Amino acid sequence: MPTNLTGNTVSSTYDQLLHVDGGPTATEKTVYGGTGVATALKVSTGAVSVDNIKLDGNTVSSTNTNGNIVLSPNGTGTVSFSKAAITGGTITGVGLSGLSADLPIADGGTGASTASAARTNLGIGTNGTFDAAYGFFYSDVDQTYSANTPAVVTFSQSAPFNVGISVASSSRITMTVAGVYEISFTGQLYNADSTDHAVTIWFRKNGTDIAASATKLAVPKIADSGVHIFTITGMEQFTAGQYIEAVVMVDNANVKLDYTAAAVGPPAVPAIPSALINVTRIG
């Protein structure tokens, strides 16, 4: 069968020819072989289709209901676009490279080409650059003191969800990673004496008193309930491995940090720790 029909007559080569019955019109028609076998090709005066893919001017579309269009290069081949405008739908399972400009936030990007600029554009700031660290510790025993003698508060229990913060030697709340931390210390003071008494509380960092961290409280006499519950907050910077302690100094040995056991009830009431401390990394 010749591949070049030059010099041949139609009658001798008709089986190699393609034709459209009645010629092309505005409506697509099937293209037939010379022997009347239908091909996958359809043509009109303005478009051409092969199977379910139609090429009409600058538009490539599928003709079957909800039909997908798959671009599948052979082997290690790739599909390249010099320009692309995606106006709907989703893109999955692909990687983007060679973008000529940063992808705007409105289009699902960060509007930046560096991590720091992306955090700024997204309003994350430095919160996206450090590991979270938090800890909750409390005491389930009474803690008694000698008058006018500073003593560190101990914590016998730790929350199971603590991350990056632990307690050492019962009193040292230790930071695993460097950063700025917020500290909140709460205690239940009890005065068994018939006179009001003063208690001073402050923080120590690695064994050294933190400047301007002290608070002085008045604990009422037993006739006035004898109970004073307090919360003291602070903020401090730590390097990895440094620790903080809470320090208590009473002016009378009748004042203590008091633990209240849980009540079975009814009504059932949870225990009241004698002291508890929350530490959270914030920067």
Side-chain angles (χ1 to χ4, degrees):
M1 179 178 293
T3 57
N4 188 336
L5 302 183
T6 302
N8 288 275
T9 63
V10 172
S11 61
S12 63
T13 59
Y14 74 92
D15 57 338
Q16 298 182 59
L17 303 178
L18 299 176
H19 74 280
V20 176
D21 189 22
T25 64
T27 301
E28 282 190 344
K29 292 182 179 181
T30 300
V31 176
Y32 294 91
T35 59
V37 177
T39 69
L41 181 64
K42 295 180 180 180
V43 297
S44 69
T45 54
V48 60
S49 296
V50 178
D51 284 339
N52 296 322
I53 301 299
K54 182 176 181 178
L55 177 61
D56 187 352
N58 293 334
T59 301
V60 178
S61 60
S62 57
T63 59
N64 56 323
T65 303
N66 298 323
N68 295 327
I69 296 177
V70 179
L71 302 178
S72 180
N74 181 263
T76 58
T78 61
V79 178
S80 300
F81 298 92
S82 60
K83 294 181 179 180
I86 301 172
T87 59
T90 59
I91 299 176
T92 59
V94 298
L96 298 177
S97 61
L99 296 177
S100 60
D102 298 327
L103 191 62
I105 295 175
D107 293 333
T110 63
S113 55
T114 66
S116 61
R119 289 192 296 270
T120 298
N121 292 348
L122 296 174
I124 297 175
T126 59
N127 290 331
T129 64
F130 66 82
D131 295 329
Y134 43 84
F136 173 70
F137 310 89
Y138 65 96
S139 172
D140 59 0
V141 296
D142 291 349
Q143 299 190 44
T144 58
Y145 307 102
S146 298
N148 301 312
T149 304
V152 294
V153 178
T154 59
F155 302 94
S156 53
Q157 303 296 327
S158 302
F161 51 75
N162 291 348
V163 174
I165 303 175
S166 60
V167 61
S169 302
S170 299
S171 64
R172 299 177 178 180
I173 307 303
T174 307
M175 320 306 161
T176 302
V177 294
V180 175
Y181 289 78
E182 184 176 63
I183 302 103
S184 177
F185 173 50
T186 298
Q188 177 175 245
L189 292 165
Y190 178 73
N191 179 11
D193 199 18
S194 58
T195 304
D196 293 352
H197 288 293
V199 177
T200 306
I201 300 166
W202 65 92
F203 293 118
R204 282 179 182 167
K205 176 181 174 181
N206 269 35
T208 300
D209 294 341
I210 297 176
S213 67
T215 299
K216 192 170 187 178
L217 306 171
V219 186
K221 58 183 177 291
I222 191 170
D224 294 330
S225 83
V227 176
H228 184 109
I229 297 176
F230 66 88
T231 296
I232 299 172
T233 61
M235 191 181 300
E236 184 64 29
Q237 187 171 33
F238 297 87
T239 59
Q242 289 188 318
Y243 64 87
I244 192 168
E245 294 175 296
V247 181
V248 170
M249 184 176 70
V250 301
D251 71 356
N252 186 283
N254 283 304
V255 180
K256 65 179 179 178
L257 282 171
D258 185 58
Y259 170 74
T260 303
V264 177
V269 178
I272 302 175
S274 59
L276 60 87
I277 190 166
N278 293 290
V279 181
T280 305
R281 187 182 182 196
I282 59 174

